[in-house]
Amino acid sequence: MPLARRTAPALLTAVAAVAALATPAAAEGVAHAPAGCTGSAPLICHFDVAPGTYRVTAHIGGAAEGRTTVTAETRRTVLGETPTAAGRQVVRSFTVNVREPEGEPTGASGSPGLDLAFGGPAPLLAGLHMAPAPRTPQLFLIGDSTVCDQLGSPYTGWGQELPQYLRAGISVANYADSGESSQTYLDQPQLFPTVRPLIRRGDTVLIQLAHNDKQTTEADYRANLTTMIGAIRAEGGRPVLVTPVVRRWFNADGTLDNGTALLVNGLGVDLPAQIRLLAAEHDVPLVDLTALTRRRVEELGPDASKALYLTDEKRDNTHTSERGATEYAAMVRDALRDQHLLPGRLFR
C-alpha cells in the first residue's frame, strides 16, 4: 500500500475564513501593519496575490520580550523561533513560493493568495512588507509523504521545515506528494510534467523517491530516476539525488540493519544502494539521508527515537513528527552547504 494521503478539511475552512477577514495587499509590494492581520497567537496575515515567488520582510518585536516563529501557506516553517528583547525589533526576510494547490500537488487547494502565521511562545509583529520576486532561484523538491507539505498536524515532511534554514534569495518549491513512487511521479500530470517546465537554468532539484517503490524492479527504478536526471539537466537545472529517510524499525540489538528500516523493497532491490550507484554513474550530487537518519535514530535508541516519528501518536514509524522533520531538514541543509550545492550566503 502507498503511504497514505491525509487531509484536514476543517483546517482548510478555518484558514480560508480567517484569510477572508484580512486586508488585501497590492501585488507591487506594500507595507502591511499588524492591524491588517487577525488574531494574536498566531497572528494571521493574508496577501491577495497570484501564484508566484514573493519576498517577505518582517519587523519582529515589541514592547515586551518576544519569541516568534513564522509559517507560510500549508504549515511551512519559513522562520524558526526568533527571540526579541523588550523594546527591540529585528528584521527578517524570507522567500515564499505561492502555488495552486498550496500544499501537495494532488491535494486540496487551500486558500488563494499568500497566508502567513506569526506564532510561537510569544509572537510579536511590528511591520510586514511583501513584494514579488519572480527572478529568485528555485530549489525544487520531488518526493513522497516524508518530504511533502503535510496539511494536517502532527504529520510533517522534512521539506516543510527546510525553508527556515534558508535566507531570502532562494525559493523552496515543494512538489513532493504523498503515495508517489518513481513511476507514478513521472506519470501524474500534476507532478513531474508540471515541475519540468518550471525549472530554469541554475535551479536545483532534490529527488527523494523510494518509500512507495515497494514492487519496482531494479531496472525500472534506475530507468525512472535516470529519466528525471536527464530531463532536469535538459532544462538547465541541477539534479541532486537524496536517499530516503529510514523507517524506525529496530532489531533486537538496537540497530536498523534490516530491509524494512533501510528501504529494501519486496523484490529485494536495495533502493538507497541504487540511488548511490546512479549518483556516481551520472555524476549527480548525493545527499545520503538514509545514512544520516539511520545514524541519528540508532544514536537515540528505541525509546528516545520515538519523538522523531509518530510512533506514540499514530503507531507510525515511517512519517516524521515536527521535531523529526526539523532535524532531518537540518541534515539536508548541512549537506547542501557542505557540498556547496547552494551559495553559502543563502544559509541561516
Side-chain angles (χ1 to χ4, degrees):
M1 296 291 289
L3 301 187
R5 183 183 315 286
R6 294 164 179 85
T7 58
L11 176 61
L12 279 176
T13 303
V15 171
V18 170
L21 297 174
T23 304
E28 61 269 25
V30 296
H32 192 90
C37 304
T38 60
S40 57
L43 180 71
I44 305 293
C45 302
H46 174 75
F47 292 99
D48 185 14
V49 297
T53 302
Y54 296 88
R55 181 185 178 110
V56 178
T57 300
H59 295 255
I60 295 171
E65 291 184 358
R67 291 161 62 194
T68 306
T69 60
V70 186
T71 58
E73 300 291 83
T74 308
R75 301 175 54 237
R76 303 177 216 159
T77 304
V78 293
L79 187 66
E81 186 174 305
T82 302
T84 48
R88 302 294 297 271
Q89 292 182 19
V90 297
V91 179
R92 295 290 183 269
S93 295
F94 45 87
T95 305
V96 182
N97 169 254
V98 177
R99 60 183 182 269
E100 176 65 29
E102 67 180 37
E104 297 182 66
T106 65
S109 294
S111 58
L114 168 58
D115 292 295
L116 299 171
F118 292 80
L124 293 172
L125 176 63
L128 191 60
H129 183 272
M130 180 280 302
R135 298 182 182 274
T136 302
Q138 302 169 103
L139 176 62
F140 288 95
L141 307 183
I142 288 174
D144 53 39
S145 57
T146 65
V147 185
C148 74
D149 288 346
Q150 291 276 4
L151 178 61
S153 178
Y155 291 91
T156 311
W158 64 254
Q160 211 160 5
E161 297 297 324
L162 185 60
Q164 67 183 297
Y165 294 120
L166 299 170
R167 298 182 186 276
I170 185 78
S171 173
V172 178
N174 190 352
Y175 280 83
D177 197 71
S178 293
E180 306 300 341
S181 68
S182 60
Q183 187 65 60
T184 63
Y185 201 94
L186 281 170
D187 294 342
Q188 176 65 256
Q190 298 100 313
L191 300 175
F192 199 74
T194 293
V195 173
R196 179 174 180 173
L198 298 176
I199 299 169
R200 301 191 296 255
R201 183 163 300 278
D203 288 343
T204 300
V205 185
L206 307 188
I207 306 168
Q208 186 215 277
L209 288 166
H211 275 278
N212 298 301
D213 282 277
K214 295 181 175 65
Q215 295 297 321
T216 307
T217 67
E218 179 181 313
D220 286 345
Y221 187 66
R222 290 173 60 86
N224 291 338
L225 293 186
T226 299
T227 296
M228 291 185 196
I229 290 168
I232 291 165
R233 284 175 165 168
E235 300 298 335
R238 176 168 53 178
V240 177
L241 291 175
V242 183
T243 59
V245 301
V246 294
R247 296 189 180 100
R248 186 192 158 277
W249 195 267
F250 280 94
N251 297 327
D253 63 0
T255 72
L256 301 182
D257 190 15
N258 62 78
T260 299
L262 300 181
L263 283 295
V264 177
N265 76 8
L267 300 180
V269 181
D270 186 331
L271 300 172
Q274 291 304 315
I275 295 170
R276 297 181 189 110
L277 287 172
L278 285 167
E281 292 168 10
H282 294 278
D283 193 23
V284 174
L286 173 72
V287 176
D288 199 343
L289 202 51
T290 303
L292 293 168
T293 56
R294 176 185 180 178
R295 185 180 309 141
R296 178 58 173 155
V297 172
E298 288 183 342
E299 173 188 50
L300 289 174
D303 290 328
S305 65
K306 292 177 182 178
L308 300 180
Y309 291 82
L310 299 174
T311 307
D312 290 334
E313 300 90 336
K314 301 290 183 177
R315 297 185 180 180
D316 187 334
N317 292 301
T318 297
H319 296 93
T320 48
S321 63
E322 182 176 340
R323 174 184 160 181
T326 301
E327 287 199 23
Y328 292 175
M331 294 174 184
V332 175
R333 182 270 316 271
D334 292 345
L336 295 175
R337 181 182 57 199
D338 295 347
Q339 297 184 52
H340 307 289
L341 298 178
L342 295 175
R345 60 181 171 77
L346 294 178
F347 296 99
R348 291 192 187 276

